[in-house]
Each structure stands twice: as structure tokens, then as C-alpha cells.
Amino acid sequence: MTGWLLPAAAAAFWGGLLAWPVLGRLASPLEWLVAGVAALVAAVVAAPTRTETAGPLDLAGLVPEPAEEPALAALASSRLRAGRGPPWLLAFVAITSVLLLGIGWAGVHERRVEGSLLARLAPAQVEVSGTFRTDPSAGSYGWSAILDLRTVTWADGNVRLRAPVWVQGSGDAPSAVRGDQVLISGELSRPGDLGFARSLEERGMAAELRAASFERLGSSPNPVIRAAQAFRAFVGNSIRRLFPEREAGLLMGLALGDDSRLDPGLARDFQATGLGHLLVVSGENVAMVLGPVLALGMALRLSRWPRFALGISTVVFFVVLTGAEPSVMRAGVMAGLTLLGVFLGRPRSAASILGGAVLFLMVLDPTLVWAIGFQLSVAATAGMVGLASPLAERLRFLPQPVALAAGTTLAAQLGVTPILLFHFHEVPGVTLAANLLAFPAVSPALVVGLLAAGAGLGFAPAGRLLAAIALLPMRYLEIVADRLAKAPVPWITSRGGAAPLVAGGAVVVGAAWWLRSGRRLPKPAIVAGALILPLFVWSSALSAARPSGLVVRFFDVGQGDSALVTSPEGATILIDAGPDPEQVATKLSSLGVKRIDVAVATHPHADHVAGFPAVFARFPVGLVLDPGCDEPSPAYADYLQAVADEHLLVAHPRAGDSYTAGGIRLDVLGPWACAHGTNSDPNNDSLVIRLSYREDVVMFPADAEEPLQQQILDAGESVTAEVLKCPHHGGATSLVDFFNAVDPELAVVSVGPNDYGHPVPEVLDELRATGARVMRTDLAGDVTVTFTEQGVFVRSGG
């Protein structure tokens, strides 16, 4: 019975924390806690108890005093008194009590955040001191970090305070690392964006601080953290001296979960193959570090107490060293509980240890329940605990090491798949093969790489020799990730929401129950599976099949542009990739796209090019078109680097150029040269493309504004089209004459929430005045246009 008690309690407490936003308002946090305690007391009182009575051996005088053997002692004097209710009812009451306690605890945490001093002070100009919880990370428009406060000073007072706050500043990230003491002044405010405010609240933060000035005061006052900082810097410097830049960044990610120097292209390849978890420190890393340390303790013939202290110290130091990420904390607490059980001579099952660790961490920090890293770490570990052994047994036709690796990998993947579909809406189909291929190289790359870094500190030639050996498995990993990222294997995709989470979770639990029961599938189930599986294959094939006519999908990507064009001959053309780094790549995967013949980056703005790096990482691309006009921006720099990383063929067309692919013709109407001196040179650098397939024509003017539109009209080229992608998201930057010259049947406005006033009502009226039907992606979702002999058919919402 106790084998499932802790896992069930952890699941119930987790559910209670998640239920607070829905059920919490029915009562106060105190009332929920009181109800939970009352139910727990009732379950304890009604539970069966063990009474000490003389057993049969004791009555016969066959047991010495005291009984030394546990088995004899049990027979001698133990007896279980029946409980006051059926076992199922007691279990239900106990689990319900933990659920109620979880709801109440979440309420206590939320009230503490909402009623904190920072929430009451905002908005205000403040000066704060504290320590960085995370390394300052650079973003598109500055830097950000989480700061654990120590003092807060404002116009009317100051106070010592322990609370986290989100800090963001402009310019380059400061030269500081997590654990450093800093002094920051700036404006404290509550986020205006409700989504961002909710995200901060889920991480226990009530406000954000916009830094105006920054000063580093010194290293951490904590000697353990200070030692970890020094060790991290020491090892990092050695790694950077011994390894090429790309491999140094990879080793820092593998060993310490430090992605600050990770090559972006390599990171995308790892994510596209399901190997991204290797770049996040996890339980495997903890085991790799703890195992040799405990072996050393045994070799030194240390007694139980010193070995226990050595093991716990190693775990604590490693957790601090890697930044106490949620996955590391989970692994660290599990390792600590395991060591404690062995030390006390009462080892527990892996399920009980996982449940105890999760329950302990959620009580300590309820915000972990919302952390995706924590969710994935727990799900992967639970999958391995419940499924790895039975899966390996079912794979006994394979060599034992391969069967164990395959069973463990498949179990972890099954555990995380529902969560990945819920949060990210996709799972690469190649992930199992990628993980199996990567498995033999991970440990050698990590262990030999760290040995090289350590040896290099004392004897440089030895370090270089070991580094050369470590490069072999590291480059093998890079090749596996790069090659499989573009493998023509379908992705598992979803539309998000709770359905894939609930249904996927039920499937995983059902699979675990069936496999652990040792039962075989009944014949009707096998027959049903054989009938249903082809339907999934058939539906997937239909989604990737060639259309009967020209099809243009205008993706709903928010305030940005992206459209996919496909032809009956199999041509696939992508025009822009939106502002989100992953969204368009996910949409292409869900449509079964295997290759892109032509990718068009119409101009350098982030809302058109930010999604291209992920697309280039996943799909082979025949040709890239862009105007070739430099625009210094992080998004455009990432796009250019991705083009270089993937060794793509690039052309910079000008007005009069044309390209063909699978029956589709792309006529470039502008620009003639890079713009200078206009209201927006990047917008007037836009590639304006008239796309045609037989008699069907679509106009893509990107964000071309009045000057470029007038040039195109003055050139006298035909611009008529049945479908028009409205220029510049419906902004007031277009000519009425341009709309009249195009004379479309349908005008699609690609737009999302924005502060620019797009689309302008007058522009929509001008489009309708041409006789065009106007559709907006922010209202209609994805807009799919299909050209047939009977006319143009339009479908929205998918």
C-alpha cells in the first residue's frame, strides 16, 4: 500500500495547486487548509493500526528476548488492527485531504505575492540590492534576469525584504553572473500585459523593475555559492581554451546546462531532433557526478556516515553549480532521499522517492508546478520509473544494452509527449531514433570533456590530448542532430489545449498499467489497432498530398506575415516566416511539409524573418530570396547566421527578375535598388512578388509603402491579381491607385494585436471599394485559398 502512497499524494497536491485558479475562489485559503487537515486527521484515525500482542512463536517460547531477527520479531508480536472503514474509502479520503491542502497552499502563496510590499509600492522609483538568481540574458531589446532582493529603498522609506523581482534593462547584459550581489535603481511597476503579469505571478513575482543604473557589489556572500561560481568560471575558462568555440558551447551545455555560449544553429538542430534535453542538466548528470564520488568514498574505505556526508555535499554543490534549475533540484532531492534511505537501511522504491521529492519541492516552492522544465523532468522520470523495465523486457529480441537504452528512451519520451503537445504543440517523430543514436556518445563526450578541462588546468598537453578524444563523440552528436533534423519523418502535432494533455496522459497511464501487468493484448484489440493505424497513416498522407490546384495558406502569425504556396506539381514556396521563432515551423510540420523549394524573406523586419532559422533547421530549402539590403537587428542577424549555418543558396533579386518552381512563376516587381531616404527604407526594400500558376495570380507586396508602389505603377507592369496580400498589415501606407490596379477578388490582411492601429479602417474601406472581399487573420485565423476551375474557394480557421 505504501508503494503508491507518496506518488499519489504528490499527484494530488500537484492537482490542488493547479486547481486553485478555478476552485480557490469558493473559499479562503485558510478554509481549504482546515478542510484538508480535518480530512487527513479523519483518514489517520480510521486507518488500520499495528498492535503489540503475543504471536504464536512467542507463546510457544521459541523466540529469544529480544527477538533479533526481523522475521521472528514480526511473527512474535505484530498484529494489524482493522481500520474503521473500507480501504478504498480511506485512500480516497487521504488523497482528497492532500488535494485540499494543495488548493489552500496555492491560495496562501498567491495572497502572499499579491499582498507583497512590491505590489503595493508599484509604480515607484526605487533602489534595490540583492543577488542574481539567474544569469542576465540578452534579448532582442536588452537584457533580463531574476533578482532575489535584500533591501528596497524608495522616496518615503526603506526595508529589508526577501522576495524575487523581474529585472530588465536596455543595452548589453551586465558583466555579472547568478549569485553576484548587485545594486540597481529604476522604476518598479506592475506589468501592463496581463499574460506577462500572470507569467510573473506563476513564478512568485509581483512586479518588474526597469533598470536605469546598475552596479556589481561583489560575489555571493554564501561560501558554497561563491565556491561554485569560482569552480564554474575555472572550468569554463579551461573548456574555452581547449575546445573550438562550437564544441566548447556544447560541452558547457552538456555538463553545466549553460547555454550562454551554445551555437544557435546547433541548439535548433538538437531541438528539432528531440535532443534538446541533453542541453539541460538533469538526473543523468547528477548520477554521472555522484557515482564516481561514492566509488571514491568506498575505495577510501569511508564508513557509512562520511560516505553519506560526502554524497549529500556533492549533490548540494552540483545543484548550486548548475543554478538550481527545476530539473536539477528534482534530481538532487531524489538523490538525497536515496542516500538517506540507504544510510538508514530503509531503501525505498523509485516511485516513492520520486513522489517524495516532488511533494517536498512543491511544498517548498509552489511556483514549480507551473515551470515547464519541472513538469518535463517529473514526467520523464515518471515514465522511466513506470515503463522502462517492462518496455525493455518486451524488447528482449534486441541485445540487452540496446533493449535497455531503447526502453528507457521510449519510456521517457512517452512520459513527456502529452506535456510537449500541450505547451509546444509538436513532438519530432525522429526523436526515438535520435536519442538511441546519441545515447552511446553522451557519456563519453561529457566525462572525457570534463576530464580534459580538469587535466588542462594542471598539465596542458594532457588536456589537449583528452580534448581531441572528446571531440570525436561531440562531433558525432552534432552530425546526428544535423542530419536527423531534416529527416523526412512526420512530426506529431496538436492544436494545443487540454485535450492532448488529458488524452495523452490517459494513454500513458493505461500503457504503464498494461505493460506492468504482464498481460498480452487480446485479439480484438490487435485487430482494432490494425484497422485504425492505417487511418492515421492515410490522414497524414492526405495532409501532405499534392493539391489539385494552386493553394495559398495565409498563416495567422499575429502581427507579421507568412504564407505557404503549394502546387499540383509538388512545389512548395514559403513567403516570410512570421515573428515567432517556432510557430511557422510547427505549422509546416503539421501540414506534412518535407521540403521548401523557395523561401522568400521579403525584407529584414523581425515580423517577417524571425521564424526562418527554425524552418531552415527542419526543412531542406532549395533557394532563398531576400532583397539583400542590410538592416541591423538581432532577428535579421539570426536569419543571416541560419542561412550561413545551413549553407543555403541565396539570391537578391531586383525588379524584372523571375523564378519558376513546379509550375509556379514568381515575377519580382520591385525593388530596383535598396531604398534611401524614404519614411521606412526597410519596408520600401520589400520584395514585391506577383505569383502565378497558369491563370491564377496572387500579389505579395510585403510591406511596400507608397514610394515603392508608385514606382511599380509607373513601370507599367501588370499587377492585376485575384488575391492580394494587403501591404503592411493594413497600415495607412498604401496608394488607392495600387489597390485599383490590382483589382482583387479577395484581400487578406495579415495582422495581430498591435500598437500601430493596423488595420486602418479607411484602408479596409478602400479595399472593399475595389469589390474585394476582405479577410483578417486576427479574426479568421489561418486563411486557405484554393484555386479551382469553378473559382476561388476560401476557408478560414485552419
Side-chain angles (χ1 to χ4, degrees):
M1 185 174 183
T2 57
W4 58 263
L5 187 58
L6 277 174
F13 196 79
W14 189 309
L17 295 177
L18 294 177
W20 165 257
V22 178
L23 302 177
R25 310 307 177 186
L26 300 176
S28 69
L30 180 60
E31 290 170 329
W32 285 107
L33 289 174
V34 169
V37 170
L40 186 60
V41 170
V44 171
V45 170
T49 59
R50 192 172 294 279
T51 59
E52 295 297 326
T53 59
L57 296 183
D58 190 40
L59 293 173
L62 298 177
V63 180
E65 293 290 342
E68 296 178 357
E69 294 295 330
L72 291 178
L75 287 172
S77 58
S78 64
R79 190 164 68 95
L80 198 66
R81 180 178 62 82
R84 300 181 181 179
W88 66 265
L89 180 59
L90 295 178
F92 175 78
V93 173
I95 297 304
T96 301
S97 70
V98 180
L99 176 71
L100 298 175
L101 290 172
I103 297 174
W105 193 237
V108 169
H109 170 74
E110 184 182 272
R111 298 288 173 86
R112 181 181 62 81
V113 174
E114 291 179 346
S116 68
L117 174 65
L118 297 180
R120 299 196 303 271
L121 274 179
Q125 292 293 323
V126 298
E127 182 180 76
V128 302
S129 67
T131 58
F132 275 137
R133 180 187 297 183
T134 61
D135 293 331
S137 59
S140 300
Y141 302 102
W143 61 273
S144 60
I146 298 176
L147 181 70
D148 287 319
L149 295 175
R150 189 173 63 232
T151 65
V152 180
T153 302
W154 65 101
D156 299 325
N158 62 82
V159 68
R160 296 185 66 84
L161 180 69
R162 295 190 58 168
V165 67
W166 179 266
V167 182
Q168 56 186 23
S170 58
D172 296 332
S175 56
V177 296
R178 56 176 174 255
D180 282 351
Q181 302 178 81
V182 298
L183 182 69
I184 302 176
S185 63
E187 180 184 6
L188 185 73
S189 62
R190 300 295 296 270
D193 182 275
L194 294 180
F196 183 54
R198 178 62 182 168
S199 174
L200 289 186
E201 183 181 308
E202 288 175 352
R203 286 184 279 182
M205 291 174 280
E208 61 177 331
L209 176 63
R210 297 183 180 273
S213 67
F214 173 90
E215 180 183 356
R216 181 180 180 275
L217 301 178
S219 300
S220 172
N222 186 306
V224 176
I225 297 178
R226 194 162 58 247
Q229 284 178 313
F231 182 83
R232 184 185 181 91
F234 213 46
V235 172
N237 290 334
S238 181
I239 289 174
R240 288 190 290 273
R241 283 197 306 270
L242 293 170
F243 291 90
E245 183 177 357
R246 184 179 175 92
E247 284 71 31
L250 175 58
L251 182 57
M252 292 289 288
L254 290 172
L256 302 175
D258 181 357
D259 61 359
S260 60
R261 296 179 179 272
L262 190 64
D263 181 79
L266 184 60
R268 286 189 290 269
D269 288 342
F270 270 64
Q271 294 295 338
T273 50
L275 296 175
H277 64 91
L278 297 178
L279 306 176
V280 179
V281 179
S282 63
E284 184 179 3
N285 300 74
V286 175
M288 286 182 183
V289 171
L290 185 58
V293 171
L294 293 178
L296 176 63
M298 296 185 68
L300 295 175
R301 299 181 180 277
L302 297 179
S303 61
R304 189 169 57 171
W305 259 110
R307 285 205 310 271
F308 175 73
L310 179 64
I312 290 294
S313 301
T314 301
V315 170
V316 171
F317 185 77
F318 188 76
V319 169
V320 173
L321 177 68
T322 54
E325 293 292 332
S327 59
V328 185
M329 289 197 295
R330 189 273 311 158
V333 173
M334 284 189 68
L337 292 176
T338 302
L339 289 171
L340 181 61
V342 172
F343 171 74
L344 297 176
R346 302 183 65 182
R348 298 297 184 187
S349 67
S352 295
I353 292 172
L354 173 63
V358 170
L359 189 58
F360 171 79
L361 287 170
M362 288 191 300
V363 171
L364 191 67
D365 183 6
T367 65
L368 286 174
V369 76
W370 303 104
I372 297 176
F374 185 70
Q375 295 171 5
L376 292 173
S377 176
V378 173
T381 307
M384 288 187 287
V385 169
L387 287 166
S389 294
L391 281 173
E393 291 175 4
R394 300 293 175 111
L395 299 173
R396 55 180 174 269
F397 58 88
L398 297 172
Q400 187 175 12
V402 177
L404 288 173
T408 302
T409 300
L410 183 57
Q413 188 61 52
L414 286 171
V416 301
T417 292
I419 297 175
L420 291 173
L421 292 176
F422 174 74
H423 286 296
F424 306 111
H425 309 167
E426 60 181 0
V427 176
V430 76
T431 184
L432 181 60
N435 276 277
L436 286 175
L437 289 172
F439 177 77
V442 175
S443 294
L446 175 60
V447 174
V448 180
L450 289 179
L451 287 175
L457 296 173
F459 186 55
R464 286 193 291 270
L465 176 61
L466 288 171
I469 297 172
L471 282 176
L472 297 176
M474 292 171 70
R475 286 182 173 158
Y476 167 78
L477 288 173
E478 293 172 5
I479 291 171
V480 168
D482 180 63
R483 297 294 185 271
L484 293 186
K486 295 182 178 64
V489 178
W491 287 56
I492 303 170
T493 60
S494 79
R495 296 181 180 272
L501 183 64
V502 175
V507 169
V508 173
V509 171
W513 171 82
W514 169 64
L515 287 170
R516 295 182 71 85
S517 69
R519 300 179 182 179
R520 295 185 177 275
L521 279 177
K523 288 185 178 180
I526 296 175
V527 172
L531 293 175
I532 293 173
L533 183 59
L535 296 179
F536 284 101
V537 175
W538 179 61
S539 63
S540 177
L542 283 180
S543 68
R546 296 178 180 181
S548 58
L550 182 70
V551 175
V552 183
R553 293 178 174 87
F554 297 91
F555 292 139
D556 175 18
V557 293
Q559 183 68 9
D561 271 9
S562 184
L564 177 69
V565 184
T566 53
S567 75
E569 285 78 6
T572 302
I573 297 172
L574 179 66
I575 301 178
D576 288 327
D580 187 273
E582 299 287 341
Q583 185 181 17
V584 170
T586 299
K587 287 178 178 288
L588 296 177
S589 296
S590 68
L591 291 169
V593 172
K594 300 295 188 296
R595 172 185 169 82
I596 296 171
D597 295 290
V598 182
V600 182
T602 58
H603 64 294
H605 281 163
D607 58 334
H608 293 251
V609 302
F612 272 122
V615 171
F616 294 158
R618 295 191 194 180
F619 305 98
V621 177
L623 175 66
V624 176
L625 303 180
D626 73 42
C629 302
D630 290 338
E631 168 70 12
S633 72
Y636 189 55
D638 289 345
Y639 157 80
L640 293 176
Q641 186 61 53
V643 169
D645 289 343
E646 303 298 336
H647 309 289
L648 301 179
L649 179 63
V650 183
H652 307 302
R654 292 292 178 259
D657 293 341
S658 63
Y659 301 85
T660 59
I664 297 176
R665 180 181 174 91
L666 304 175
D667 290 310
V668 181
L669 306 184
W672 279 260
C674 296
H676 296 287
T678 67
N679 185 55
S680 175
D681 289 345
N683 285 343
N684 287 309
D685 289 336
S686 293
L687 291 178
V688 178
I689 292 176
R690 186 173 185 263
L691 183 148
S692 59
Y693 176 79
R694 298 175 183 170
E695 303 301 320
D696 305 322
V697 183
V698 183
M699 176 66 74
F700 290 95
D703 284 0
E705 298 186 354
E706 293 177 359
L708 182 55
Q709 292 177 17
Q710 188 62 59
Q711 282 184 293
I712 293 171
L713 293 176
D714 293 343
E717 295 288 341
S718 174
V719 295
T720 57
E722 293 157 281
V723 177
L724 169 68
K725 199 289 298 183
C726 182
H728 202 189
H729 320 293
T733 55
S734 292
L735 297 170
V736 175
D737 289 345
F738 183 76
F739 292 156
N740 291 332
V742 177
D743 190 24
E745 297 177 24
L746 173 69
V748 179
V749 185
S750 184
V751 67
N754 65 89
D755 299 325
Y756 310 113
H758 297 164
V760 175
E762 291 78 8
V763 171
L764 300 181
D765 292 339
E766 291 167 356
L767 287 169
R768 294 189 182 102
T770 67
R773 175 187 178 188
V774 178
M775 297 192 70
R776 299 168 46 170
T777 58
D778 61 335
L779 301 179
D782 292 352
V783 177
T784 302
V785 181
T786 304
F787 293 85
T788 70
E789 294 180 356
Q790 290 74 36
V792 177
F793 288 85
V794 183
R795 179 169 57 89
S796 63

